[in-house]
Structures are given as structure tokens and as C-alpha cells.
């Protein structure tokens, strides 16, 4: 939501990895943080990684660093 509010919303048909790469190009200082967030998100959304309190905390922390 923070990136979308700055004019960098996810494009139709754009997967999370491609979106993360694009955001990293927009703000190279946050590229590593964005990629970390996308990696966790992708594991949860597509990889069948179980969701528990620790994973949610990691996702929130990664999101905060990437925003």
C-alpha cells in the first residue's frame, strides 16, 4: 500500500518477484529489503510455508524495512 500510494502500484499481471524487482529499481537503497519481503511473501503465498507467529513477525519487519 505504501508503494502504491507513491505511484508504484503492482501492475495487472505482474507477479510478486517482478514487482519487487521494479520497486528495487525505483529505490535502490531499499532493493535488498524489498527482495527480502517478497521472498517471505512468495513462500507464504505460493510455497505452502506454514504461517505462525514467527513468520508473521518476519513478514511485518521486512515490510517495515521495505516501505
Amino acid at each position: 500500500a505504501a508503494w502504491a500510494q507513491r505511484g508504484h502500484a503492482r501492475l495487472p499481471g505482474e507477479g510478486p518477484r517482478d514487482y519487487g524487482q521494479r520497486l528495487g529499481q525505483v529505490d535502490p537503497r531499499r532493493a535488498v529489503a524489498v527482495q527480502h519481503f517478497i521472498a517471505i511473501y512468495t513462500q507464504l503465498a505460493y510455497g505452502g510455508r506454514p504461517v505462525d507467529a514467527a513468520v508473521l513477525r518476519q513478514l511485518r519487519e521486512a515490510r517495515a524495512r521495505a516501505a
Side-chain angles (χ1 to χ4, degrees), residues 41-65:
Y41 170 82
T42 303
Q43 289 173 356
L44 291 172
Y46 304 105
R49 182 177 178 181
V51 179
D52 59 26
V55 172
L56 290 176
R57 185 177 61 253
Q58 289 175 353
L59 188 65
R60 285 188 199 109
E61 289 170 358
R63 180 180 175 203
R65 286 190 299 276

Side-chain angles (χ1 to χ4, degrees), residues 28-48:
R29 296 170 300 146
R30 291 193 173 107
V32 172
V34 168
Q35 292 304 317
H36 181 71
F37 172 80
I38 294 295
I40 296 170
Y41 170 82
T42 303
Q43 289 173 356
L44 291 172
Y46 304 105

